[in-house]
Amino acid sequence: MSSIVVPRPSAGERWRKLSHGRWIGFLARRIAYGLLVIVLVALTVFLVTRILSDPARQMLPLDATHEQYVNLKHSLGLDRSLPAQFVDYVGDLARFNLGESFWQKTSVSGLIADRLPNTLELAAVAIAFAVLLGVPLGIGAALKPGSKLDQSLATFALLGLSLPQFWLGAMLILLFSVVLGWFPTSGMGGIEHIVLPALTLGLPSLGRIAQITRTSMIDELASQHILTARAKGLSGRYLITRHALRNVMVPIATIVSWETAYTLAGYSVIVETVFAWPGLGYLAIQAIQREDLILIQGIVIVVATIVVLINIVTDILYTAIDPRIELK
Amino acid sequence: MSLDATDVATMQTSVSRGRARTSLGTLWQDKAAFFGAAFLLILLIAAIFAPLVAPHEPTAVDLFNRTKPPVWSGGTWSYPLGTDSLGRDVLSRLIYGARVSLLIGVSVVLVSGTVGTFLGLLAGYKGGRWDLVIMRLADAQLAFPGLLLVLLVLTFLGSSIPVIIGVVAVYGWMIYARMIRSLVLQLRESPAIQAAELLGAGTPRILFKHLLPMLYSALLTQAILELARVVLVEASLSYLGLGVQPPNASWGLMVAENQGDLQDAWWTVTFPGVALALTVLAMNLLANWLRVQTDPQQRQRRFALGSMKRNRRGAGFQTGGDAAAVTAVTAERGVHPLVSVKDLEVRFHSLEGEVPAVRGASFDIRPGETLGIVGESGSGKSTTALALMDLIPPPGRVERARLAWEGEELDRRRLHRLRGSEIAMIFQDPMTSLNPLVPIGRQVGEVLVKHKGMSAQASRRRAEELFELVGIPSPKERLDQFPHELSGGLRQRVMIATALATEPKLVIADEPTTALDATIQAQILEIIRGLQQRLGLSMLLITHDLGVVARVCDRVLVMYGGHIVEEAPVDELFETPRHRYTQALLAAVPRVDHGRGRLATIPGHPPGRLEAVAGCPFAPRCEHASEQCAAMPPMAADGARRFACWHPTVEELVAR
């Protein structure tokens, strides 16, 4: 059945049909909106750091004189008006100048560039694991609602929703590292190092991706056009992959992009801390512990940019999946 | 094929009436939800009375009893769950941890729930600029995962409990706002709210006196789900060192403090996590139960899924009998009918019990003829057509049926092999019947690849020919278009082309023109009739339109309340309807040649699916009904005609 191959215009062909002008407009609007989000995040970070705390006071030893304080403030430009400071700050951001870390005494962009690939590696393995297992499991459950597979998947997803990730990591360490001795407890190295953190990071996502896939697939299988396809005598793998799956790709893309964003910007902070994985999240926690303000705000801005990029890529994916979605 | 709106309304009222009485009972029945509720109740009591319940002070250090194991693995009863590396009692710290967890959780839910509900009400009811600003803000915040921002703010503000509550609440209001807004958008149009507006109630009054009470159950469910999420967030923050500060007890903090002792003192890490997981699990279970209880749609959905499981075990198609018995209806003519259906019975399973949709229908379709089925909506005509393809969607089920194809009995597997190759179907709504994401050329071509073993290129060429046949202009260019690029009339032509592609012997058309504009209707009907005659295929045409029947059909079945009540050649039916329902139905058709008299209508309404009718289903509306009609009339044969009526029209003529 899977041998049925009917030529259809590839996504590329479909794209070529669209005029270039509309594409440029679409991308320009997306990027402008993304930049707006980044500026808003930058503003929040700026206000939090400038109003809620005093960077100059934090940089100085406790016994510093008032004169030292005033001098430092002046040399950092902190005695100027807030709008003037914000303009400078955004100007620095535009030049990828994120300042210098108090703690490491090196450039923040350098530190982030060192750590970011580790986080991306961990997140990629975790999300790939969650998608490659979660989507087929969700489809399987949707094909037979109420079956053993469906019920165990529902239980699993509920557990994924209920187990705290830091504790799941600790329990995996207890079982696989302490008791069985299969994997190292922490740090980065060979392939064996990435297994436990990726599992911890990926398992809850797997549950959620499988649930969304299942629900969307059940709705899809009950749709009128699937009824039509069945009346045409289509069935089995062809019906699922060529007709049903295509239509549930939009909700799947949504949840996967959501999970990726939250993994990079939230879950990885926790999981990297549990496993001492030298990524951006662990760096953020170290920076917080040392009250390294410049470093923290740099990390937040970089993560915000990544999330914005993910959202833009997702929007482009939607238009590739569904010809009805207009470029607007 | 969903249940009628009236049926659902009936169910809803009966559900809400029963709810108050049975909710505690069903809580006991649902073991998972009962566990959730019981666990949360115990946890709440323990948290409130922590100083009385906990055996030790949470911060009391006992250096002589450091890392004592739990009582069952060699510990003592004075520290039932063991102690940590400072000799603090794990159980007592768990109880005080619950206190912090619930305090923060409930406070956050109250704050963000109140703010979110208020903004959601405003956005949904006021609309316009309010809606735009509030929803843009919510979307932006939802699109941006804020954990890092929360960490940043907590670093600078310090992690006191009020600060944690404030920051986490800011992080969660939009979930309520979005939910409330979408509910308000639905409710705003409801008669109750419209009436209140007419009576001149002000905005605040409508929002808080009228709308809010309708949202309580949805809000409660959402609040419990959010409580579960916030408890996890607090634990995570405390684990990262930005939540509850030592020496106070928090479940997240306990895991962080003791993670280094994982090897020697597993209990210090395991128990806080178990407590946390059980708490969150209990909340999720309770929320799920509550959602199902308060939302009849959810109940119906769950039920439908259950019946899918039952349907997989096989429908009631019967085989193994004498094939001749199936075709007995017209066997004496010596020609095998193309299809014979005998004793078809379809039921829909609902929460209230089984609802019959088709009750023992038998009929034949002869080669080359067009057989019409007419009836009002709910009469079972569409269900009959779908049953013929074994495509009854759950919660429906073919309870009984005997089918024969060209004189040979059909089992379910053979029937499935005929689908799309020998039997094709055209559905009512061309807007939803085509797959929106597949080019139309492929949707036609794939049946040829599947059933005729054609190559992809050949199927494409054939699709182009078929498009031409059904009158689609510039067919070659259309092949790669998507359904949304076509008008409704063109889409229905695509459906017809698909149905004809494999040169089937039978085409089932279920209200093929109902969803189209009046001008297009005539065209489509003409195409269908022309092709049917040219290709000599049989057709089963389901319609509620007697005009369509008169123009297209050779014979007609009249259905009412799940029964075939009359069967006749089309001319005879229009000339002398025998069944009283058919008579009333024909009288209710507006006719140009009969002047301006008052249009006759049939009093009363057709039986709802939930109303069980024992005798003649039309009796309650029939002016000729007698006591006899309390029993189902048998099918009487008169030449080529059949009818099931105790008081047929001709009897009246004779009596006169």
Side-chain angles (χ1 to χ4, degrees):
Chain A
M1 201 101 64
S2 55
S3 62
I4 306 176
V5 180
V6 182
R8 46 176 296 275
S10 66
E13 273 173 61
R14 225 185 296 153
W15 285 23
R16 244 168 278 133
K17 281 195 212 155
L18 301 162
S19 67
H20 286 290
R22 282 173 72 204
W23 256 102
I24 291 166
F26 169 74
L27 274 182
R29 273 189 296 275
R30 287 290 125 178
I31 290 169
Y33 182 70
L35 283 176
L36 183 73
V37 172
I38 295 172
V39 169
L40 282 178
V41 171
L43 182 64
T44 313
V45 170
F46 176 81
L47 290 177
V48 166
T49 50
R50 299 304 193 280
I51 292 177
L52 300 180
S53 76
D54 186 346
R57 182 73 72 202
Q58 285 190 347
M59 287 170 79
L60 286 169
L62 282 174
D63 54 353
T65 63
H66 185 67
E67 196 162 310
Q68 282 175 304
Y69 171 70
V70 171
N71 285 340
L72 182 66
K73 254 194 135 164
H74 183 73
S75 68
L76 289 173
L78 292 175
D79 52 351
R80 294 182 302 140
S81 74
L82 278 179
Q85 287 188 45
F86 185 64
V87 170
D88 275 3
Y89 176 63
V90 172
D92 280 346
L93 285 184
R95 273 174 270 126
F96 298 105
N97 177 8
L98 297 174
E100 190 175 284
S101 153
F102 299 155
W103 161 47
Q104 295 275 10
K105 309 290 178 211
T106 56
S107 87
V108 166
S109 18
L111 278 172
I112 291 176
D114 274 355
R115 298 293 195 92
L116 184 59
N118 297 343
T119 295
L120 292 181
E121 181 187 330
L122 179 60
V125 174
I127 293 292
F129 163 74
V131 172
L132 292 180
L133 237 73
V135 171
L137 282 175
I139 293 172
L143 291 180
K144 292 186 174 182
S147 64
K148 287 238 164 59
L149 172 70
D150 188 30
Q151 282 168 355
S152 15
L153 202 65
T155 313
F156 179 81
L158 191 62
L159 281 181
L161 211 63
S162 305
L163 293 183
Q165 222 158 11
F166 59 86
W167 182 73
L168 176 65
M171 289 300 108
L172 289 180
I173 293 176
L174 184 62
L175 181 61
F176 291 107
S177 305
V178 177
V179 177
L180 296 172
W182 291 355
F183 301 107
T185 56
S186 65
M188 204 178 164
I191 278 184
E192 70 276 10
H193 281 87
I194 207 169
V195 174
L196 291 185
L199 263 182
T200 312
L201 203 50
L203 277 175
S205 296
L206 191 163
R208 284 185 292 262
I209 289 173
Q211 277 305 90
I212 297 281
T213 307
R214 170 189 178 273
T215 323
S216 319
M217 197 61 162
I218 285 179
D219 286 346
E220 168 65 15
L221 288 176
S223 72
Q224 176 64 43
H225 64 258
I226 291 296
L227 186 70
T228 310
R230 287 212 166 107
K232 280 155 72 178
L234 305 178
S235 59
R237 201 167 4 146
Y238 183 85
L239 181 75
I240 300 301
T241 55
R242 292 307 184 90
H243 279 275
L245 194 56
R246 190 168 286 274
N247 286 276
V248 296
M249 283 309 267
V250 168
I252 291 177
T254 307
I255 181 71
V256 171
S257 120
W258 185 283
E259 289 294 334
T260 311
Y262 272 76
T263 295
L264 286 171
Y267 307 141
S268 66
V269 177
I270 294 163
V271 174
E272 286 179 3
T273 307
V274 176
F275 290 94
W277 182 267
L280 211 54
Y282 192 37
L283 185 68
I285 291 300
Q286 289 172 319
I288 284 168
Q289 281 163 356
R290 287 168 180 79
E291 303 205 331
D292 189 343
L293 193 131
I294 307 286
L295 183 52
I296 302 169
Q297 66 184 36
I299 293 173
V300 171
I301 297 290
V302 168
V303 168
T305 312
I306 294 175
V307 170
V308 164
L309 283 177
I310 290 173
N311 288 339
I312 292 177
V313 169
T314 311
D315 282 340
I316 294 174
L317 264 180
Y318 287 154
T319 64
I321 296 169
D322 191 338
R324 287 170 301 176
I325 292 175
E326 292 282 317
L327 302 176
K328 56 176 180 195
Chain B
M1 272 315 305
S2 59
L3 295 169
D4 288 348
T6 46
D7 296 341
V8 174
T10 325
M11 281 177 204
Q12 276 171 346
T13 47
S14 62
V15 167
S16 58
R17 222 180 297 134
R19 192 189 300 155
R21 227 180 314 125
T22 55
S23 61
L24 274 178
T26 50
L27 182 59
W28 172 244
Q29 276 167 18
D30 188 334
K31 297 294 178 233
F34 181 77
F35 152 79
F39 182 86
L40 288 180
L41 192 68
I42 293 169
L43 191 75
L44 195 65
I45 292 171
I48 292 172
F49 300 104
L52 301 174
V53 180
H56 300 269
E57 281 292 310
T59 50
V61 173
D62 181 352
L63 294 177
F64 296 105
N65 282 308
R66 289 187 298 179
T67 56
K68 278 271 178 205
V71 63
W72 60 88
S73 47
T76 59
W77 273 110
S78 63
Y79 298 107
L81 294 182
T83 61
D84 65 11
S85 56
L86 291 174
R88 295 178 295 193
D89 181 34
V90 170
L91 178 63
S92 304
R93 286 180 73 73
L94 283 180
I95 293 171
Y96 277 89
R99 210 176 197 195
V100 172
S101 214
L102 291 179
L103 173 72
I104 293 180
V106 171
S107 313
V108 167
V109 166
L110 283 179
V111 174
S112 59
T114 310
V115 174
T117 304
F118 181 71
L119 290 178
L121 281 172
L122 217 54
Y125 186 72
K126 280 287 198 181
R129 214 173 301 158
W130 285 98
D131 190 32
L132 190 75
V133 171
I134 294 173
M135 283 304 112
R136 269 289 152 87
L137 200 62
D139 286 344
Q141 220 183 312
L142 268 180
F144 186 77
L147 181 66
L148 268 178
L149 275 180
V150 168
L151 294 181
L152 185 81
V153 175
L154 285 176
T155 313
F156 291 112
L157 287 182
S159 302
S160 64
I161 287 180
V163 172
I164 298 173
I165 292 171
V167 172
V168 179
V170 168
Y171 185 49
W173 65 273
M174 60 278 183
I175 294 163
Y176 302 92
R178 279 167 70 113
M179 181 197 74
I180 294 291
R181 172 182 175 270
S182 68
L183 286 175
V184 169
L185 284 180
Q186 291 168 25
L187 289 172
R188 203 167 58 171
E189 307 304 325
S190 72
I193 299 302
Q194 305 259 317
E197 278 172 355
L198 279 176
L199 291 173
T203 303
R205 197 179 158 79
I206 288 179
L207 287 186
F208 298 110
K209 283 274 175 190
H210 294 278
L211 275 174
L212 196 56
M214 297 188 199
L215 304 170
Y216 280 152
S217 65
L219 255 179
L220 185 62
T221 309
Q222 191 62 47
I224 296 178
L225 281 176
E226 275 294 288
L227 187 59
R229 200 183 60 87
V230 171
V231 164
L232 271 182
V233 168
E234 178 273 317
S236 304
L237 289 178
S238 299
Y239 173 81
L240 292 174
L242 285 163
V244 176
Q245 296 299 310
N248 293 320
S250 147
W251 294 339
L253 189 59
M254 287 172 77
V255 174
E257 281 174 338
N258 299 307
Q259 206 184 334
D261 300 328
L262 196 53
Q263 211 147 350
D264 318 308
W266 55 268
W267 56 90
T268 53
V269 177
T270 309
F271 292 138
V274 170
L276 194 50
L278 283 178
T279 306
V280 175
L281 187 67
M283 290 169 180
N284 282 329
L285 288 172
L286 193 62
N288 279 348
W289 174 79
L290 210 64
R291 182 163 45 195
V292 173
Q293 284 305 304
T294 52
D295 186 351
Q297 255 178 334
Q298 286 271 346
R299 281 161 67 102
Q300 200 59 45
R301 215 182 142 94
R302 247 188 199 202
F303 184 82
L305 289 183
S307 67
M308 271 171 91
K309 196 172 165 186
R310 205 175 44 241
N311 279 16
R312 278 202 302 277
R313 299 206 188 100
F317 289 103
Q318 288 165 3
T319 47
D322 178 8
V326 183
T327 57
V329 185
T330 47
E332 69 268 20
R333 290 173 151 244
V335 190
H336 281 304
L338 182 65
V339 185
S340 290
V341 178
K342 202 169 185 199
D343 296 332
L344 174 66
E345 199 171 321
V346 181
R347 284 190 201 153
F348 281 82
H349 296 252
S350 80
L351 285 165
E352 272 70 27
E354 292 185 2
V355 182
V358 180
R359 318 178 191 202
S362 300
F363 60 93
D364 289 346
I365 305 172
R366 296 171 199 150
E369 79 166 345
T370 298
L371 177 67
I373 303 185
V374 280
E376 294 164 79
S377 60
S379 61
K381 55 188 193 306
S382 290
T383 309
T384 303
L386 284 173
L388 205 51
M389 296 281 263
D390 190 26
L391 284 174
I392 299 282
R397 184 178 142 95
V398 175
E399 299 293 336
R400 218 147 37 91
R402 298 190 68 172
L403 301 180
W405 176 261
E406 296 184 321
E408 264 183 74
E409 187 147 17
L410 269 184
D411 60 11
R412 211 179 178 195
R413 257 193 34 231
R414 284 199 51 216
L415 174 61
H416 287 195
R417 247 179 281 149
L418 295 179
R419 271 203 315 230
S421 59
E422 298 288 345
I423 310 177
M425 190 151 180
I426 302 168
F427 290 93
Q428 174 174 352
D429 189 358
M431 295 302 182
T432 54
S433 295
L434 290 165
N435 190 332
L437 304 189
V438 178
I440 53 171
R442 189 163 81 100
Q443 297 197 48
V444 177
E446 65 189 354
V447 288
L448 292 165
V449 177
K450 157 103 190 177
H451 298 294
K452 299 282 173 191
M454 268 192 201
S455 74
Q457 278 79 11
S459 80
R460 202 177 149 81
R461 277 196 300 275
R462 180 77 185 126
E464 195 186 324
E465 290 167 20
L466 286 162
F467 278 5
E468 192 136 24
L469 187 71
V470 295
I472 295 176
S474 49
K476 199 183 180 80
E477 286 69 46
R478 297 275 178 193
L479 288 174
D480 292 331
Q481 286 193 331
F482 290 90
H484 72 278
E485 298 172 85
L486 274 62
S487 69
L490 279 186
R491 288 193 218 186
Q492 196 62 306
R493 285 170 203 249
V494 173
M495 287 301 298
I496 295 168
T498 314
L500 297 177
T502 54
E503 293 160 21
K505 291 188 174 133
L506 173 65
V507 171
I508 302 174
D510 184 0
E511 307 254 10
T513 58
T514 309
L516 302 173
D517 290 343
T519 47
I520 311 286
Q521 281 189 7
Q523 287 176 20
I524 295 290
L525 214 56
E526 212 41 55
I527 290 173
I528 291 179
R529 196 165 72 142
L531 290 170
Q532 187 260 331
Q533 281 169 358
R534 184 136 50 106
L535 304 173
L537 42 84
S538 303
M539 189 150 81
L540 180 64
L541 182 76
I542 287 100
T543 181
H544 64 270
D545 187 339
L546 287 167
V548 171
V549 170
R551 256 191 290 173
V552 180
C553 297
D554 301 314
R555 283 192 310 132
V556 194
L557 303 175
V558 181
M559 285 193 81
Y560 189 85
H563 291 278
I564 293 177
V565 294
E566 179 155 11
E567 173 184 338
V570 73
D571 302 338
E572 293 178 35
L573 186 92
F574 279 94
E575 211 141 287
T576 50
R578 302 297 298 275
H579 196 281
R580 292 296 176 180
Y581 171 65
T582 318
Q583 189 191 22
L585 195 65
L586 289 172
V589 176
R591 291 176 67 163
V592 192
D593 55 337
H594 275 213
R596 293 201 186 160
R598 227 192 117 183
L599 184 62
T601 53
I602 308 175
H605 58 89
R609 290 201 182 147
L610 288 171
E611 295 167 41
V613 182
C616 174
F618 187 59
R621 300 169 76 186
C622 182
E623 50 188 74
H624 304 274
S626 68
E627 281 159 31
Q628 217 176 356
C629 300
M632 185 64 206
M635 195 59 109
D638 176 6
R641 311 187 55 167
R642 294 188 300 149
F643 50 88
C645 186
W646 290 116
H647 308 292
T649 52
V650 175
E651 185 189 65
E652 188 190 35
L653 290 175
V654 171
R656 228 195 281 159

